[in-house]
Amino acid sequence: MDISEVARRSGVPASTLRYYEKVGLIRSTGPQGVRRRFAPTVLDQLALIALGQAAGLSLDEVRSMLAPTGAVNIDRQLLAAKADDIDATIKQLRAVSRGLRHAAACPAPSHAQCPTFQGLLKSAASGALARKQVARKVAPKLVLKRGQG
């Protein structure tokens, strides 16, 4: 497939495909200097890249799981650690959500008199909520979609 077909089928812009090739995430099969051509397996590689990014993996981390041939070599420890991070984030977000829902429906005459809301404010003031936000923003992510095909 040429680069325009890969872009159309994957939803990944040609400029991103060229970048992925430059950093070693995917490989074209044609000679340098002509229109890039890719094996059909590149669509699976792009799906793996998108899945890795959705999970919060950096491109370097995703690259470490792709052999130059395109074969996948999953780092199970990395995935388990990332899953633990996601679980911790979910736990924290659930607590925040419960606190906000309570504050929205709290029967106390004032939020200053609500112990649940005050606890949420203390967590925010201590930086506990901001630390999780920063951890998620460390590696910028590209939003990719898998096309029909």
Side-chain angles (χ1 to χ4, degrees):
M1 290 184 286
D2 72 7
I3 194 167
S4 62
E5 176 72 4
V6 173
R8 185 186 67 73
R9 291 182 64 181
S10 68
V12 178
S15 59
T16 302
L17 294 171
R18 286 188 289 273
Y19 176 74
Y20 286 173
E21 183 180 21
K22 179 181 174 183
V23 299
L25 287 163
I26 60 174
R27 287 186 4 180
S28 62
T29 58
Q32 295 295 333
V34 297
R35 191 164 180 90
R36 288 172 174 84
R37 298 200 56 82
F38 296 91
T41 56
V42 76
L43 296 174
D44 291 332
Q45 292 169 303
L46 293 170
L48 179 67
I49 293 166
L51 177 62
Q53 288 188 305
L57 298 175
S58 70
L59 291 179
D60 287 337
E61 290 168 325
V62 173
R63 184 184 320 105
S64 74
M65 292 189 242
L66 288 172
T69 61
V72 177
N73 182 23
I74 299 296
D75 182 340
R76 293 173 190 265
Q77 286 183 309
L78 175 63
L79 295 184
K82 188 54 73 173
D84 289 344
D85 289 346
I86 291 169
D87 289 344
T89 299
I90 290 169
K91 184 178 177 181
Q92 181 223 7
L93 290 174
R94 281 193 178 131
V96 170
S97 176
R98 283 191 301 270
L100 293 174
R101 289 192 185 283
H102 175 82
C106 182
S110 161
H111 287 97
Q113 297 171 356
C114 174
T116 302
F117 187 71
Q118 291 304 312
L120 184 60
L121 290 179
K122 285 180 186 175
S123 291
S126 73
L129 303 180
R131 280 192 292 277
K132 289 292 183 181
Q133 296 281 337
V134 170
R136 286 194 300 267
K137 293 180 182 177
V138 169
K141 299 174 190 166
L142 297 173
V143 176
L144 303 176
K145 62 181 180 178
R146 176 99 194 236
Q148 301 292 326

